[in-house]
Amino acid sequence: MRPGIELLADQPGSGPEVRRRHVYLLRLKLWLNKGDPVRWASASGFVDRARLEDNGETLVADMRIDRENLVNGLFHGIQGMRIGGTRKLKIAPHLAYGARGVPGTIPENALIIAEVSVLEERVLARSDCEMI
């Protein structure tokens, strides 16, 4: 793991290894350092392919594994995962949402705990690739 990312738990998957620039269905849950869950006001990801569960605490979405779609801590924390796996990561602010945070959702300079599961690889048509 890179400095600023701590692996807290790892349940290895049995599927193929996750590859950069490929799209996967991810389940993502975030907590602030004190244990408060992050509740999203709306789902982010590909249009009509993202949803919120658990009263807005869990995002289930198709995400391309690249630095444009994931914060650096998730991008690097997913490396080496396999489909079907789940990791829990502690991500330093500079690799998460930084000094800006996410107004109304994540405070500035917040340390984030992230649990990410790779559910399956997706093959999307170009028409499916519009982001919200």
Side-chain angles (χ1 to χ4, degrees):
M1 286 286 150
R2 288 192 168 225
I5 305 171
E6 182 182 343
L7 181 63
L8 301 176
D10 187 16
Q11 289 181 292
S14 58
E17 190 168 321
V18 171
R19 297 178 292 172
R20 290 181 181 183
R21 295 183 300 278
H22 285 245
V23 177
Y24 295 88
L25 179 62
L26 301 181
R27 176 176 283 122
L28 179 63
K29 191 166 188 168
L30 302 176
W31 295 268
L32 301 175
N33 189 37
K34 304 246 190 250
D36 296 326
V38 171
R39 286 191 175 87
W40 298 101
S42 63
S44 62
F46 295 115
V47 173
D48 297 328
R49 300 183 72 84
R51 69 182 185 275
L52 293 174
E53 297 177 345
D54 304 325
N55 198 25
E57 293 179 14
T58 303
L59 172 66
V60 179
D62 291 331
M63 292 285 190
R64 185 176 166 152
I65 307 303
D66 60 25
R67 290 183 180 158
E68 290 179 29
N69 293 299
L70 299 172
V71 295
N72 281 330
L74 281 175
F75 174 76
H76 294 295
I78 286 174
Q79 287 181 349
M81 286 186 73
R82 295 183 171 278
I83 294 174
T86 298
R87 280 190 181 163
K88 196 168 194 176
L89 306 162
K90 184 187 284 188
I91 303 173
H94 71 283
L95 294 173
Y97 295 92
R100 291 191 297 173
V102 177
T105 305
I106 298 175
E108 57 191 39
N109 295 313
L111 185 131
I112 298 293
I113 306 298
E115 183 178 89
V116 60
S117 300
V118 181
L119 304 176
E120 62 185 65
E121 186 169 7
R122 302 287 222 174
V123 178
L124 302 178
R126 282 216 184 273
S127 61
D128 291 331
C129 295
E130 184 182 343
M131 296 292 287
I132 53 175

